[in-house]
Amino acid sequence: MSVSSSIPVSGQKDGECPNERLNGQLEFLLALDRLKGVERRNPVLGGARRENSAEHSWHAALLALFLAEHAAGPVDVCRVVQMLLLHDVIEIDAGDTFCYDVAANRDKAERELAAADRIFGLLAADQGGELRALWEEFEHGDTPESRLANSLDRFQPLLMNFNAEGGTWREYDLARSQVEARMAPIREGAPGLWPIVERVLDAACERGYLRRD
Amino acid sequence: MSVSSSIPVSGQKDGECPNERLNGQLEFLLALDRLKGVERRNPVLGGARRENSAEHSWHAALLALFLAEHAAGPVDVCRVVQMLLLHDVIEIDAGDTFCYDVAANRDKAERELAAADRIFGLLAADQGGELRALWEEFEHGDTPESRLANSLDRFQPLLMNFNAEGGTWREYDLARSQVEARMAPIREGAPGLWPIVERVLDAACERGYLRRD
């Protein structure tokens, strides 16, 4: 039995049309639940376990409420928050692709596009289209809002790894240059945070959390 | 060693003032991580495990992006999302109080106020005050936005429990009237969703997920 089919959604009676719009909203709501089961590589809670993509999305979205002042200029915080809430929902189908895994990243775009078609397609066209446009804006990263959103998406796991004595970095024996390249969009998207990135990377090398190049 | 003290935040040099504002933002960021370790009673993923408050906050905030049309009238969706992102952060100190536990709810307000003082106090006064005001608006529930936020905060676990064959309801042998009372704010905050609530409760009784009164 599919999870969503168990909800008495439509409530149609004899001759009444099913409420397709509401039905789609509840299908989408239940599909979202699955993001809590998508495991990322970086740790949380000082290394107690790996983070899942739902928790990560919450944390990154909340950062926008108090770190937006570090963007290069004025941004629509509301849009940044919405993008961060949504940016990983395609992982429900496509899974989390480890950012330092070159092979897995080759077909990432293709897998994620198919996921977007299915997942945003659960909603009525107007709502699905609106949310998909936010996801695409995040992916393209060519607006001040999407540049800030991409920066916070990277800044958050930087601090999670640092606070877990290196976390993923040590597990995969990463070099400073690899992490610095991954963080590079922060220079433009949230330049006020870049000095912190550099200090964290310096300290990570000193403590042996990251390999020096 | 406190988690936050390990981040090389301030970067002050001889004679330079520490950046207290940024320091507070990073302290707050790291404090938020702990919400991922606060366990709620309701299940996720069809009953695979309990939900934590960070995942719940993400899910509820995202609901506002496509369920706001079920509110009683026009709402500022941005504000609803922000409230839902923040509404549980006081649980970092105060823990999750099970909504059907009468005894634990007696000192809930006091514990949560002390938590709000400490947690929002990590930020500079302007930012801490702004985020605290959103939390207080959610708690008071007397604006259209906070009524919708409170509705979605209740609607989300309703569906999680139903999809886990009763979840918390069966575990605690709850009666339909108890859950209906808990859901009652949805009548005013998101009247368009109330028919779904009633159908879910009816179906839950039929399936033995909820005790009939």
Side-chain angles (χ1 to χ4, degrees):
Chain A
M1 182 179 73
S2 94
V3 183
S4 52
S5 68
S6 71
I7 293 227
V9 181
S10 54
Q12 68 266 36
K13 289 161 194 148
D14 287 353
E16 189 186 340
C17 282
N19 188 336
E20 281 183 25
R21 182 177 182 84
L22 181 55
N23 207 341
Q25 289 171 338
L26 295 179
E27 290 264 1
F28 186 68
L29 183 159
L30 292 169
L32 291 175
D33 182 49
R34 293 179 50 205
L35 200 62
K36 301 164 194 165
V38 175
E39 198 174 69
R40 292 163 51 83
R41 300 296 170 107
N42 66 273
V44 287
L45 302 164
R49 59 170 173 81
R50 291 191 198 272
E51 188 174 49
N52 68 57
S53 292
E55 299 167 322
H56 159 70
S57 298
W58 166 77
H59 204 171
L62 195 32
L63 297 193
L65 301 192
F66 60 97
L67 294 179
E69 65 195 25
H70 300 290
V75 290
D76 174 351
V77 172
C78 184
R79 201 162 177 85
V80 179
V81 168
Q82 293 184 358
M83 271 187 255
L84 285 165
L85 284 175
L86 280 167
H87 77 291
D88 276 344
V89 300
I90 41 76
E91 293 182 1
I92 290 165
D93 286 0
D96 178 57
T97 307
F98 185 40
C99 56
Y100 301 103
D101 182 340
V102 176
N105 275 277
R106 279 194 201 112
D107 68 340
K108 181 173 181 266
E110 196 182 334
R111 284 184 286 117
E112 294 191 348
L113 276 174
D117 287 345
R118 187 190 78 79
I119 295 164
F120 295 117
L122 293 171
L123 290 167
D126 63 323
Q127 287 200 316
E130 198 182 319
L131 299 193
R132 186 179 179 135
L134 282 161
W135 174 72
E136 286 174 351
E137 183 179 342
F138 177 88
E139 287 293 305
H140 297 153
D142 53 12
T143 60
E145 284 76 18
S146 58
R147 279 195 286 269
L148 176 59
N150 272 283
S151 298
L152 298 178
D153 181 41
R154 288 155 201 245
F155 189 66
Q156 187 263 348
L158 175 89
L159 296 197
M160 295 299 98
N161 277 314
F162 187 80
N163 273 287
E165 299 183 345
T168 318
W169 305 335
R170 279 169 81 174
E171 189 180 351
Y172 292 90
D173 190 29
L174 296 182
R176 184 196 158 112
S177 60
Q178 289 175 283
V179 179
E180 192 165 3
R182 172 79 188 154
M183 297 298 143
I186 298 175
R187 277 181 198 268
E188 280 194 36
L193 295 176
W194 187 253
I196 297 295
V197 174
E198 290 201 314
R199 279 183 213 128
V200 166
L201 295 179
D202 286 345
C205 287
E206 276 162 29
R207 296 181 192 193
Y209 300 169
L210 265 181
R211 189 159 47 78
R212 291 180 197 274
D213 292 279
Chain B
M1 183 179 74
S2 95
V3 182
S4 51
S5 68
S6 70
I7 294 225
V9 180
S10 53
Q12 68 266 36
K13 289 162 195 151
D14 287 354
E16 188 186 342
C17 282
N19 189 335
E20 282 183 25
R21 182 176 182 85
L22 181 56
N23 207 341
Q25 289 171 338
L26 295 178
E27 291 265 0
F28 187 68
L29 182 159
L30 292 169
L32 291 175
D33 182 49
R34 293 179 51 205
L35 200 62
K36 301 164 194 166
V38 175
E39 199 174 67
R40 291 164 52 83
R41 300 297 170 106
N42 66 273
V44 287
L45 303 166
R49 60 170 173 81
R50 291 192 198 271
E51 187 173 49
N52 69 56
S53 292
E55 298 167 323
H56 159 71
S57 298
W58 166 77
H59 205 170
L62 195 32
L63 297 193
L65 301 192
F66 60 95
L67 294 178
E69 64 194 27
H70 300 290
V75 290
D76 175 351
V77 172
C78 183
R79 200 160 177 86
V80 179
V81 168
Q82 293 184 358
M83 272 187 254
L84 284 165
L85 284 174
L86 279 167
H87 77 292
D88 276 344
V89 299
I90 43 75
E91 293 182 1
I92 288 165
D93 285 1
D96 178 58
T97 306
F98 186 39
C99 55
Y100 301 103
D101 182 340
V102 177
N105 276 276
R106 279 195 200 109
D107 69 340
K108 180 173 181 266
E110 197 181 333
R111 283 184 286 116
E112 294 192 348
L113 277 173
D117 287 344
R118 187 190 78 79
I119 295 163
F120 294 117
L122 294 171
L123 290 167
D126 63 322
Q127 287 201 316
E130 197 182 318
L131 298 193
R132 186 179 179 134
L134 282 162
W135 174 72
E136 286 174 351
E137 183 179 342
F138 177 87
E139 286 294 303
H140 297 151
D142 53 11
T143 59
E145 283 75 18
S146 57
R147 279 195 286 271
L148 175 59
N150 272 283
S151 298
L152 298 178
D153 181 40
R154 288 156 201 244
F155 189 66
Q156 186 264 348
L158 176 88
L159 296 197
M160 295 298 98
N161 277 314
F162 187 80
N163 272 287
E165 299 183 346
T168 319
W169 305 336
R170 279 169 82 174
E171 189 179 351
Y172 292 90
D173 191 30
L174 295 181
R176 182 194 161 115
S177 61
Q178 289 175 282
V179 179
E180 192 164 3
R182 172 79 189 154
M183 296 299 142
I186 298 175
R187 277 182 198 269
E188 280 193 36
L193 295 175
W194 187 253
I196 297 295
V197 174
E198 290 201 313
R199 279 182 214 131
V200 167
L201 295 178
D202 287 344
C205 287
E206 278 163 27
R207 296 181 192 192
Y209 300 168
L210 266 180
R211 187 160 47 80
R212 290 180 198 276
D213 292 279

Coordinates of all heavy atoms in Angstrom, one line a residue, chain B residues 12 15-16 18 27 37-38 43 70 84 97 99 109 113 120 135 144 162 171 173 185-186 189-190 194 206 209 212:
Chain B
Q12 N 40.3 38.5 16.3 CA 40.9 39.8 16.6 C 42.4 39.7 16.8 O 42.9 38.7 17.1 CB 40.2 40.4 17.9 CG 40.6 39.6 19.2 CD 39.5 38.5 19.5 OE1 39.0 37.9 18.6 NE2 39.3 38.3 20.8
G15 N 44.9 44.6 20.0 CA 44.3 45.9 20.1 C 43.0 46.0 19.3 O 42.3 47.0 19.3
E16 N 42.6 44.9 18.6 CA 41.4 44.9 17.8 C 40.2 44.4 18.6 O 40.4 43.5 19.4 CB 41.6 44.0 16.5 CG 40.5 44.1 15.5 CD 40.7 43.1 14.4 OE1 41.9 42.5 14.3 OE2 39.8 42.8 13.7
P18 N 36.9 42.4 19.4 CA 36.3 41.2 18.9 C 35.0 41.5 18.2 O 34.3 42.5 18.6 CB 36.1 40.3 20.1 CG 36.1 41.3 21.3 CD 36.9 42.4 20.9
E27 N 27.5 31.5 17.6 CA 27.0 30.8 18.8 C 25.6 30.3 18.6 O 25.2 29.2 18.9 CB 27.1 31.7 20.0 CG 28.4 32.1 20.5 CD 28.9 31.2 21.6 OE1 28.2 30.2 22.0 OE2 30.1 31.4 22.1
G37 N 18.7 16.9 18.0 CA 18.8 15.8 19.0 C 17.5 15.8 19.9 O 17.5 15.1 20.9
V38 N 16.6 16.7 19.7 CA 15.4 16.7 20.5 C 14.3 15.9 19.9 O 13.8 16.2 18.8 CB 14.9 18.2 20.7 CG1 13.5 18.2 21.5 CG2 15.9 19.0 21.4
P43 N 6.0 9.6 15.0 CA 6.9 8.9 14.1 C 7.1 9.6 12.8 O 6.3 10.5 12.4 CB 6.2 7.5 13.9 CG 4.8 7.8 14.1 CD 4.6 9.0 15.0
H70 N -5.4 27.5 2.3 CA -6.4 27.0 3.2 C -6.7 27.8 4.4 O -7.5 27.5 5.3 CB -6.1 25.5 3.5 CG -6.0 24.7 2.3 ND1 -7.1 24.3 1.6 CD2 -4.9 24.1 1.8 CE1 -6.6 23.5 0.6 NE2 -5.3 23.4 0.7
L84 N 7.4 29.2 11.7 CA 7.6 27.7 11.8 C 9.0 27.3 11.9 O 9.3 26.3 12.6 CB 6.8 27.1 10.7 CG 5.3 27.1 10.9 CD1 4.5 26.8 9.6 CD2 4.9 26.1 12.0
T97 N 7.8 19.0 25.0 CA 6.8 18.7 26.0 C 5.6 18.0 25.3 O 5.0 18.6 24.4 CB 6.3 19.9 26.7 OG1 7.4 20.6 27.3 CG2 5.4 19.5 27.9
C99 N 2.3 16.9 24.0 CA 1.1 17.8 24.1 C 0.0 17.1 24.9 O -0.9 17.8 25.4 CB 0.6 18.2 22.7 SG 0.3 16.8 21.6
A109 N 5.4 26.7 30.2 CA 5.6 28.2 29.8 C 6.8 28.7 30.5 O 7.6 29.5 29.9 CB 4.3 28.9 30.2
L113 N 10.1 30.2 28.6 CA 10.5 31.6 28.7 C 12.0 31.7 29.0 O 12.7 32.5 28.5 CB 9.7 32.3 29.7 CG 8.3 32.8 29.2 CD1 7.5 33.4 30.4 CD2 8.5 33.8 28.1
F120 N 17.7 33.3 22.4 CA 17.6 34.5 21.6 C 18.7 35.6 22.1 O 19.1 36.4 21.3 CB 16.2 35.1 21.5 CG 15.2 34.2 20.8 CD1 14.1 33.6 21.5 CD2 15.4 33.8 19.5 CE1 13.3 32.8 20.9 CE2 14.5 33.0 18.9 CZ 13.4 32.4 19.6
W135 N 8.8 34.3 17.6 CA 8.4 33.2 18.5 C 7.2 33.5 19.3 O 6.3 32.7 19.5 CB 9.6 32.8 19.3 CG 9.3 31.7 20.3 CD1 9.1 30.4 20.1 CD2 9.2 31.9 21.7 NE1 8.8 29.8 21.3 CE2 8.8 30.7 22.3 CE3 9.3 33.0 22.6 CZ2 8.6 30.5 23.7 CZ3 9.1 32.8 24.0 CH2 8.7 31.6 24.5
P144 N -3.5 36.3 11.9 CA -3.8 35.3 10.9 C -2.6 34.4 10.6 O -2.7 33.2 10.4 CB -4.2 36.1 9.7 CG -4.7 37.4 10.2 CD -3.9 37.6 11.5
F162 N -1.0 9.2 11.3 CA -2.0 8.4 10.6 C -1.2 7.4 9.6 O -1.6 6.3 9.5 CB -2.9 9.3 9.7 CG -4.0 8.5 9.0 CD1 -5.1 8.1 9.7 CD2 -3.8 8.2 7.7 CE1 -6.1 7.4 9.1 CE2 -4.8 7.4 7.0 CZ -6.0 7.0 7.7
E171 N 0.2 4.2 20.8 CA 1.2 4.0 21.8 C 0.6 4.5 23.2 O 0.8 3.9 24.2 CB 2.4 4.7 21.5 CG 3.6 4.5 22.4 CD 4.9 5.2 21.9 OE1 4.9 5.9 20.8 OE2 5.8 5.2 22.7
D173 N -2.7 5.1 23.7 CA -4.2 4.7 23.8 C -5.0 6.0 23.8 O -5.9 6.1 24.7 CB -4.4 3.9 25.0 CG -5.8 3.2 25.0 OD1 -6.3 3.0 23.9 OD2 -6.4 3.0 26.1
P185 N -7.6 24.2 16.8 CA -7.2 25.5 16.2 C -7.2 25.5 14.7 O -7.2 26.6 14.1 CB -5.7 25.7 16.8 CG -5.7 24.9 18.0 CD -6.5 23.7 17.8
I186 N -7.1 24.4 14.1 CA -7.1 24.3 12.6 C -8.4 24.8 12.0 O -8.5 25.4 10.9 CB -6.8 22.9 12.1 CG1 -5.4 22.4 12.5 CG2 -7.0 22.8 10.6 CD1 -5.1 21.0 12.2
G189 N -7.6 28.5 12.0 CA -6.4 28.9 11.3 C -6.2 28.4 9.9 O -5.5 29.1 9.1
A190 N -6.8 27.3 9.6 CA -6.8 26.8 8.2 C -8.0 26.0 7.9 O -8.0 24.8 7.8 CB -5.5 25.8 8.1
W194 N -9.8 21.6 7.6 CA -10.6 21.0 8.6 C -11.3 19.7 8.1 O -11.3 18.7 8.8 CB -11.5 21.9 9.3 CG -12.2 21.3 10.5 CD1 -13.5 20.9 10.6 CD2 -11.5 20.9 11.7 NE1 -13.7 20.2 11.8 CE2 -12.5 20.2 12.5 CE3 -10.2 21.0 12.2 CZ2 -12.2 19.7 13.8 CZ3 -9.9 20.5 13.5 CH2 -10.9 19.9 14.3
E206 N -11.9 4.0 12.5 CA -12.3 2.8 11.8 C -11.2 1.7 11.8 O -11.5 0.5 11.9 CB -12.7 3.1 10.4 CG -14.1 3.6 10.2 CD -14.3 4.3 8.8 OE1 -13.6 4.0 7.9 OE2 -15.1 5.3 8.8
Y209 N -6.8 2.9 15.0 CA -5.6 3.7 15.3 C -5.9 4.6 16.5 O -5.0 5.0 17.3 CB -5.2 4.6 14.2 CG -4.7 4.0 12.9 CD1 -4.6 4.7 11.8 CD2 -4.5 2.6 12.8 CE1 -4.2 4.1 10.6 CE2 -4.1 2.0 11.6 CZ -4.0 2.8 10.5 OH -3.6 2.2 9.3
R212 N -12.4 5.1 20.1 CA -13.6 5.9 20.0 C -14.0 6.3 21.4 O -13.8 5.6 22.4 CB -14.8 5.0 19.5 CG -14.6 4.7 18.0 CD -15.8 3.8 17.5 NE -15.5 3.1 16.3 CZ -15.6 3.7 15.1 NH1 -16.0 4.9 14.9 NH2 -15.3 3.0 14.0

